[in-house]
Every structure is written in C-alpha cells, then in structure tokens.
Amino acid sequence: QLQLQESGPRLVKPSETLSLTCTVSGDSINSDSHYWGWLRQPPGKGLEWIGSVSYTGTVHYNPSFISRLTISVDTSTSQFSLHLTSVTAADTAVYYCARRPYYHGFDVWGPGTSVAVSS
Amino acid sequence: EIVVTQSPATLSVSPGERVILSCRASQTIRYLAWYQQIRGQAPRLLIDAVSSRATGVPARFSGSGSGTEFTLTISSLQSEDFALYFCQQYHSWPLTFGQGTRLEIQ
C-alpha cells in the first residue's frame, strides 16, 4: 500500500529557505503514469497547489511560486523535495505531498507537516 | 489560470438530508475532482473525473456536471460527512482549487 510521509523543519526564519522532503514507500516512485506533488493549506484557509514533478524530473510549478521554488526527485531514495526560498509569514501552512496519476486527481496524500515562518 | 469557485462557503444541514455542493470553473474543463477534508486530516479524494467515485467512497456521494458547472451530491448526510469539501480542476496547469464548502450540523 502506497504511503507518503513529509519531513523537514517545523520552524523557518523569515527570508530563509523552507526545505521539505516526501518519502514514498509501498510502491515505486519510478512510475511513468504519475506526478508527485506539493500542496499547502494556510491556517483556516483552502488548498493551494505548489508544484509537481515526474520521476524523470519534469516539473510544473504554480506561477505564484515560480521565482523562488525548486522541486526535485531522487529515485534512488524514493523521495521528492521542495525548496522555497525567501519565505515570509504568508508561507506558514500545513504542507502536503501527494500522488496524482495522469488525468486524475490526487489519490494518495501524506499526513501533512505544519511549518511556521517566524523569527 | 482557470479560476474555480465553490458555493456556498458554508452549508448548515441536518443528518439524513440531501445536499448539493456547487463548483464553477472560469472556462470549460473536462477534468474535475472533489475532496473531503475532516478537521486535522489530509484531504481524501472522493470523486475523480467529474463523476467517478474513488475507491472505498460510499454510494451516497455522486458527482456530475460538464462545461463550467459541476456538483457534488450527498444523498443522505451521515454524521461523518460533516466536513470541508473542495473541488479541483486538473484540466490544465496550474492546478487550481475552489475555496471550499463547509458542511455544518444544523
């Protein structure tokens, strides 16, 4: 059974870089029919798609983040990562990683990790 | 970017009632999903490709629509259905979500 698990620091200082990793277990990340995505949900607000990556490294980014976002994949460790630079308090949110089959919705989600941006 | 708008923001209903949640896209789309989010949990895929129930989703949940107008219907609300519901288009990048509809117990 496929499982995703986010990991990374829970507290990041303003202007620094937020780095998170999603570990995929129970199935292969080397799938030519899935995207692996990052999403977030600020406190009390809705869901926001950040970006997605395929196992080949092809990425799609939300234009709202494109100037400070990098998403990458490491198939040797079955992980994909998010790096968001120059964070502000507005980046405080629960961050989720999730799988999305081509032409389908996000069908498997990690439990989420809460990240606060504060000095 | 395709803007997705959900209505209403909050719906107060009683157990056993039938409820219809609406989702509108700013342009014609073919691919839309619905998610349920219980407080403190990750979202769960309910409906895929407008009308296909995801694995394990009860038959009381159904999706329909076309073009720019879509609905999620819950035929008879159970206590566990009082949650937050989002629609999401994956017709084109960037992927976008509606703001959500919260079902509250009346």
Side-chain angles (χ1 to χ4, degrees):
Chain A
Q1 179 184 357
L2 178 72
Q3 291 188 314
L4 281 67
Q5 180 67 56
E6 306 88 353
S7 59
R10 305 291 296 271
L11 181 64
V12 181
K13 289 183 167 53
S15 80
E16 295 189 344
T17 297
L18 185 164
S19 295
L20 296 173
T21 296
C22 183
T23 301
V24 178
S25 61
D27 201 353
S28 175
I29 199 171
N30 294 320
S31 167
D32 61 0
S33 58
H34 294 97
Y35 281 106
W36 306 93
W38 287 100
L39 307 95
R40 74 180 188 180
Q41 186 171 33
K45 296 189 177 180
L47 291 166
E48 183 173 35
W49 172 72
I50 301 171
S52 296
V53 63
S54 72
Y55 84 102
T56 62
T58 299
V59 292
H60 294 272
Y61 292 158
N62 184 327
S64 297
F65 300 98
I66 200 166
S67 64
R68 57 191 187 106
L69 175 65
T70 301
I71 295 176
S72 58
V73 63
D74 185 344
T75 56
S76 68
T77 59
S78 291
Q79 294 178 328
F80 61 103
S81 299
L82 171 147
H83 299 280
L84 188 65
T85 64
S86 305
V87 296
T88 69
D91 294 308
T92 293
V94 175
Y95 286 77
Y96 296 100
C97 61
R99 183 184 78 170
R100 189 175 79 84
Y102 292 175
Y103 302 108
H104 292 279
F106 291 97
D107 64 345
V108 181
W109 294 67
T113 186
S114 182
V115 180
V117 178
S118 174
S119 55
Chain B
E1 172 177 319
I2 297 175
V3 177
V4 178
T5 304
Q6 288 186 247
S7 60
T10 304
L11 205 50
S12 295
V13 290
S14 300
E17 284 189 18
R18 178 172 176 263
V19 65
I20 300 174
L21 282 60
S22 295
C23 179
R24 173 178 293 175
S26 60
Q27 62 189 76
T28 294
I29 60 173
R30 291 182 59 191
Y31 300 111
L32 183 104
W34 289 92
Y35 302 86
Q36 177 194 62
Q37 187 177 34
I38 294 169
R39 194 179 299 275
Q41 296 185 15
R44 166 198 180 196
L45 180 65
L46 282 181
I47 300 291
D48 196 20
V50 177
S51 59
S52 297
R53 273 191 303 276
T55 303
V57 174
R60 64 181 181 272
F61 292 93
S62 63
S64 64
S66 64
T68 62
E69 303 285 342
F70 302 88
T71 58
L72 172 70
T73 300
I74 310 173
S75 59
S76 178
L77 276 167
Q78 305 298 302
S79 57
E80 61 268 30
D81 300 336
F82 289 92
L84 190 53
Y85 292 84
F86 294 99
C87 59
Q88 177 233 333
Q89 68 81 20
Y90 52 96
H91 179 86
S92 65
W93 307 101
L95 310 180
T96 48
F97 287 83
Q99 315 94 305
T101 293
R102 182 172 298 282
L103 291 187
E104 295 182 337
I105 300 177
Q106 189 169 48

